[in-house]
């Protein structure tokens, strides 16, 4: 992971904790996918993809979470829920955009329910 990505994930985790979320796991990996942050609030497990950008020349950070990336996150989320006995919890998929100016965070945009599972989960 690059320095900007790690910094963005750290900022996102701090932001979530300040909002009352409990960080359950970070950088959860399966063979073909990774989930940046897994958090919980109430009885909801949230799978969060973090995208940090210093400019939007190539589009908004959330636009990088395309259908292919979503499929991989959903696949990893399914494994996590089964492995960690969270199968009875509701879940959702969020994206957190981190906008950077130099080494400082200019803005954090938390997109709740950024995408949903289509079909069977």
């Amino acid at each position: 992971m690059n320095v900007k990505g790690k910094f963005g994930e750290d900022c996102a985790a701090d932001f979530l904790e300040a909002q009352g979320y409990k960080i359950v796991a970070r950088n959860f990996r399966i063979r073909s996918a990774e989930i940046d942050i897994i958090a919980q609030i109430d009885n909801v497990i949230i799978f969060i993809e973090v995208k940090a950008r210093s400019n939007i020349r190539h589009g908004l950070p959330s636009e990088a979470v395309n259908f292919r990336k979503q499929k991989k996150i959903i696949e990893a989320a399914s494994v996590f829920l089964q492995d960690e006995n969270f199968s009875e919890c509701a879940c959702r998929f969020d994206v957190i955009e981190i906008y950077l100016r130099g080494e400082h965070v200019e803005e954090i945009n938390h997109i709740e329910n950024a995408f949903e599972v289509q079909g069977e989960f």
Side-chain angles (χ1 to χ4, degrees):
M1 174 186 307
N2 65 33
V3 173
K4 187 189 302 183
K6 170 83 169 90
F7 178 71
E9 287 181 17
D10 290 345
C11 290
D14 292 344
F15 170 82
L16 289 165
E17 288 179 326
Q19 303 297 315
Y21 291 79
K22 175 185 173 213
I23 304 300
V24 175
R26 289 186 61 180
N27 304 113
F28 176 80
R29 280 177 218 275
I30 62 170
R31 174 182 26 76
S32 61
E34 178 187 10
I35 299 172
D36 295 331
I37 298 173
I38 301 171
Q40 182 173 13
I41 194 158
D42 300 322
N43 199 34
V44 179
I45 298 295
I46 303 99
F47 300 98
I48 303 155
E49 178 69 11
V50 179
K51 291 296 180 189
R53 298 284 187 271
S54 51
N55 64 62
I56 57 171
R57 205 171 327 161
H58 300 290
L60 298 174
S62 60
E63 292 172 343
V65 187
N66 58 26
F67 181 72
R68 184 168 171 264
K69 180 76 171 172
Q70 291 173 18
K71 267 181 71 170
K72 288 180 177 245
I73 293 168
I74 291 166
E75 180 183 341
S78 178
V79 170
F80 177 84
L81 289 170
Q82 291 172 1
D83 288 355
E84 302 297 325
N85 285 329
F86 282 109
S87 56
E88 298 304 312
C89 290
C91 68
R92 72 173 198 242
F93 298 89
D94 294 1
V95 173
I96 294 184
E97 300 175 319
I98 307 286
Y99 293 92
L100 303 171
R101 183 173 302 268
E103 295 179 19
H104 303 285
V105 175
E106 187 171 56
E107 181 183 349
I108 296 176
N109 183 26
H110 183 184
I111 304 167
E112 295 183 8
N113 291 305
F115 60 93
E116 295 180 356
V117 176
Q118 304 297 320
E120 198 70 27
F121 182 52

